[in-house]
Amino acid sequence: MAVVRPFKAVRPAKDLADKVAALPYDVMNSDEAREMVKGNPYSFLHVDKAEIDLDKSIELYDKKVYEKARENLYKMIDDNILIEDDKPRLYIYRQIMDGRTQTGIVACTSIDDYMNNIIKKHEHTRADKEQDRINHVDYCNANTGPIFLTYKAQKEIDDIILKWVENEPVCNFISEDGISHIVWIIECDKDIEKLCSLFGGVQYLYIADGHHRAASAVKVGQMRRQQNPDYTGEEEFNYFLSVLFPDEDLYVMDYNRVVKDLNGLSTEEYMLKVSDKFEVSTYEGEGQYKPSSKHTYGMYLEGKWYVLAAKEGTYNPNDPVDRLDVSILQNNLLRPILGIEDPRTDKRIDFIGGIRGLSELERRVEHGMKVAFSMYPTTIQDLMDIADAGKVMPPKSTWFEPKLRSGLFIHKLK
């Protein structure tokens, strides 16, 4: 059963929270981050992407980057930009985007639960990205970015959260992208104990987003155990920073595809091959075609939108990976027709998060790409089914919005 426990968060001073909070380090490159922090010395990107404060000639994974991250983090603490709470607490983090609310518990979760698969995964991680965050956590001696976890909603947990969000928040601001961020501290020991007990009855937690951060936090914890062979299990390095959201709150957006060419086929040849696996019809509506059900797709080609519907026999309905829309498209069109063998590495394909809208697909086709596909979003239940089966999602299957902001909660490892 899942272990969830309170911790002494390092948090921004109340009047600086909106300036400190930053998008996750992995949703922008270094040049974009440099632009984002102009005029804002408080941005947590100075910690999470510390290369922005160094000469551009320095390699991204150079030791100097991690040393600068540590220097910046502890200077923010010394300057009271970030302040550590005096007692271990649980916290509530609410985000509101376009009128939709998601509310989670900020806590520490167990590296043992990760290793024992009580915290379930649905993605592979890359060694180079893992090593980057291992170094970052190790040098900073802290988890600086939360892991985005979900669990099957429970009324008793919801009821405690609803009681606390009636209080005055300690943090409440709207970020530059129009998303509200609101934080409450759960200060009642009895409610903290009750929540920890309730999560102890949750069979599994699921990583929604943050697989590399989670894997790296766990490996740093394992390193610290080797360095401290008499560890008791209560040390902070045995736990990592997480935000736990009920599955009912989460919203997965579509993750769309654009491809550079038709793999040497004429338009007529291509359409004939597509019609072998999909029912194809011209979209007669206005604007772009956004799929409204599973196993249907929009296709934008030569200035026109088409509707594709997967034919019977194109997928195994009993296989949680094979029946995913992204798998059906990959296995029946992208690979056999367009020659996209590995979408993670093929330079002929690109992926467009649904937050950018379907007009972006049209724009990309009009500026050099050949064909675009609009997707029906993968569901939270899909994610859980795949994780429960011990399988892995295809790349670029999920796009979560809103993104958790870094810098609102930091968990020190000692």
Side-chain angles (χ1 to χ4, degrees):
M1 300 303 160
V3 174
V4 166
R5 79 172 200 169
F7 70 108
K8 293 196 292 184
V10 177
R11 301 184 293 111
K14 188 171 183 177
D15 60 338
L16 294 176
D18 61 327
K19 296 180 178 63
V20 171
L23 285 165
Y25 74 97
D26 54 356
V27 302
M28 83 286 288
N29 61 36
S30 301
D31 288 338
E32 289 169 336
R34 287 186 177 93
E35 286 298 314
M36 289 178 178
V37 303
K38 282 185 176 178
N40 182 10
Y42 305 108
S43 172
F44 204 70
L45 289 175
H46 292 288
V47 175
D48 264 0
K49 290 188 76 68
E51 72 272 11
I52 64 177
D53 293 329
L54 298 172
D55 190 274
K56 287 188 178 183
S57 64
I58 294 175
E59 292 291 331
L60 189 61
Y61 301 149
D62 192 287
K63 178 182 176 182
K64 293 176 182 176
V65 175
Y66 308 111
E67 291 174 336
K68 189 64 176 177
R70 178 177 58 202
E71 175 189 328
N72 288 349
L73 173 61
Y74 288 95
K75 185 176 190 307
M76 291 175 80
I77 293 173
D78 289 343
D79 291 347
N80 290 320
I81 297 166
L82 299 171
I83 302 167
E84 185 172 6
D85 287 335
D86 59 352
K87 292 180 65 175
R89 297 296 189 198
L90 295 178
Y91 306 82
I92 298 171
Y93 180 19
R94 169 172 285 178
Q95 296 175 293
I96 305 172
M97 174 181 169
D98 296 333
R100 188 183 57 81
T101 299
Q102 62 183 35
T103 307
I105 294 288
V106 185
C108 279
T109 51
S110 166
I111 68 171
D112 291 299
D113 282 355
Y114 180 97
M115 293 186 286
N116 296 332
N117 212 34
I118 290 171
I119 296 175
K120 294 201 169 194
K121 310 90 181 164
H122 66 265
E123 285 184 10
H124 287 311
T125 55
R126 281 175 43 182
D128 59 337
K129 289 189 173 183
E130 265 192 41
Q131 190 58 54
D132 169 50
R133 287 301 105 175
I134 288 171
N135 292 339
H136 194 276
V137 173
D138 195 32
Y139 274 76
C140 290
N141 195 39
N143 306 133
T144 60
I147 313 306
F148 189 157
L149 299 179
T150 188
Y151 61 94
K152 292 180 180 177
Q154 290 195 12
K155 185 178 184 302
E156 286 185 279
I157 294 174
D158 291 345
D159 287 345
I160 295 174
I161 292 173
L162 287 172
K163 179 179 75 173
W164 279 92
V165 298
E166 292 178 356
N167 298 326
E168 185 74 17
V170 296
C171 171
N172 187 354
F173 66 92
I174 298 175
S175 51
E176 69 287 345
D177 51 6
I179 297 169
S180 295
H181 303 267
I182 313 170
V183 174
W184 294 265
I185 303 175
I186 300 178
E187 297 177 318
C188 171
D189 291 338
K190 185 176 179 181
D191 283 348
I192 291 172
E193 291 171 10
K194 180 65 174 175
L195 281 168
C196 292
S197 175
L198 288 169
F199 277 109
V202 170
Q203 189 172 12
Y204 298 115
L205 302 174
Y206 299 83
I207 299 177
D209 202 7
H211 282 77
H212 287 92
R213 289 191 294 274
S216 303
V218 170
K219 289 186 177 177
V220 172
Q222 291 172 315
M223 289 164 48
R224 297 293 173 90
R225 286 180 173 184
Q226 292 177 351
Q227 296 161 2
N228 299 272
D230 296 327
Y231 74 91
T232 67
E234 290 300 309
E235 299 86 355
E236 292 299 326
F237 58 71
N238 295 289
Y239 302 88
F240 58 90
L241 178 63
S242 301
V243 186
L244 301 94
F245 291 96
D247 59 341
E248 296 173 349
D249 275 16
L250 299 188
Y251 175 53
V252 188
M253 298 191 77
D254 42 308
Y255 212 159
N256 303 307
R257 278 93 167 113
V258 289
V259 180
K260 190 174 183 62
D261 56 63
L262 296 184
N263 197 27
L265 299 171
S266 68
T267 301
E268 293 75 17
E269 290 170 331
Y270 167 75
M271 292 294 281
L272 188 63
K273 286 180 178 289
V274 171
S275 64
D276 185 48
K277 297 290 186 178
F278 298 86
E279 300 288 348
V280 182
S281 59
T282 302
Y283 178 54
E284 303 293 349
E286 295 183 3
Q288 305 89 13
Y289 176 69
K290 187 177 181 65
S292 58
S293 61
K294 287 189 172 189
H295 312 332
T296 60
Y297 309 81
M299 181 174 71
Y300 186 66
L301 176 66
E302 296 181 350
K304 186 182 295 185
W305 279 94
Y306 297 87
V307 180
L308 309 184
K311 290 183 177 180
E312 188 175 347
T314 53
Y315 62 94
N316 178 358
N318 298 315
D319 186 318
V321 176
D322 198 60
R323 67 184 182 229
L324 281 179
D325 281 1
V326 292
S327 299
I328 295 169
L329 189 71
Q330 175 65 27
N331 296 338
N332 294 279
L333 197 159
L334 296 179
R335 180 185 294 119
I337 300 176
L338 294 180
I340 307 293
E341 292 295 332
D342 186 350
R344 291 172 298 183
T345 58
D346 198 309
K347 302 299 185 186
R348 296 168 51 236
I349 189 169
D350 202 0
F351 304 89
I352 312 295
I355 191 71
R356 300 177 69 178
L358 299 186
S359 295
E360 178 65 14
L361 299 184
E362 293 180 341
R363 191 192 72 81
R364 292 294 297 273
V365 170
E366 289 158 6
H367 289 80
M369 303 301 269
K370 181 64 178 179
V371 61
F373 302 92
S374 59
M375 310 289 294
Y376 186 75
T378 301
T379 67
I380 290 293
Q381 190 60 54
D382 290 330
L383 182 155
M384 290 180 166
D385 288 345
I386 288 168
D388 286 341
K391 296 191 174 188
V392 175
M393 277 192 170
K396 311 296 185 182
S397 295
T398 57
W399 182 280
F400 285 94
E401 288 288 347
K403 303 295 184 188
L404 305 184
R405 289 307 193 270
S406 295
L408 292 178
F409 309 93
I410 298 102
H411 168 235
K412 292 170 68 175
L413 299 189
K414 64 179 180 182

